[in-house]
Amino acid sequence: MTTQTKKSSAGLLALFGVILLVQGFGSAITEAGWDTSFGVSAVLREAGAPAWVDLVVGAVGCALLAAAARARSLRDAP
């Protein structure tokens, strides 16, 4: 039961990491290319956050993906 919980939590970390990665860096790219933003970054922009927040959201996504990869490698270790 504990292994299943660890497996699903690592999967959720990876899922949230991918979502934030796409939301952050994707929004920064669309803002630079087409002068529009989307998702979490668009909500933050409307709330008055500066443009560099998009990159922070993307970096948090990268950190979550790294944490998920580390959790998976520790789980799979002998």
Side-chain angles (χ1 to χ4, degrees), residues 9-21 56-72:
S9 65
L12 281 175
L13 269 178
L15 176 66
F16 287 135
V18 167
I19 289 170
L20 289 178
L21 182 84
V56 172
V57 171
V60 169
C62 287
L64 288 176
L65 284 174
R70 179 160 167 67
R72 176 172 278 173

Side-chain angles (χ1 to χ4, degrees), residues 24-67:
F25 293 136
S27 187
I29 291 169
T30 59
E31 185 70 35
W34 295 281
D35 202 27
T36 186
S37 58
F38 64 91
V40 174
S41 297
V43 172
L44 291 172
R45 287 265 175 101
E46 287 299 315
W52 53 264
V53 171
D54 296 349
L55 301 176
V56 172
V57 171
V60 169
C62 287
L64 288 176
L65 284 174

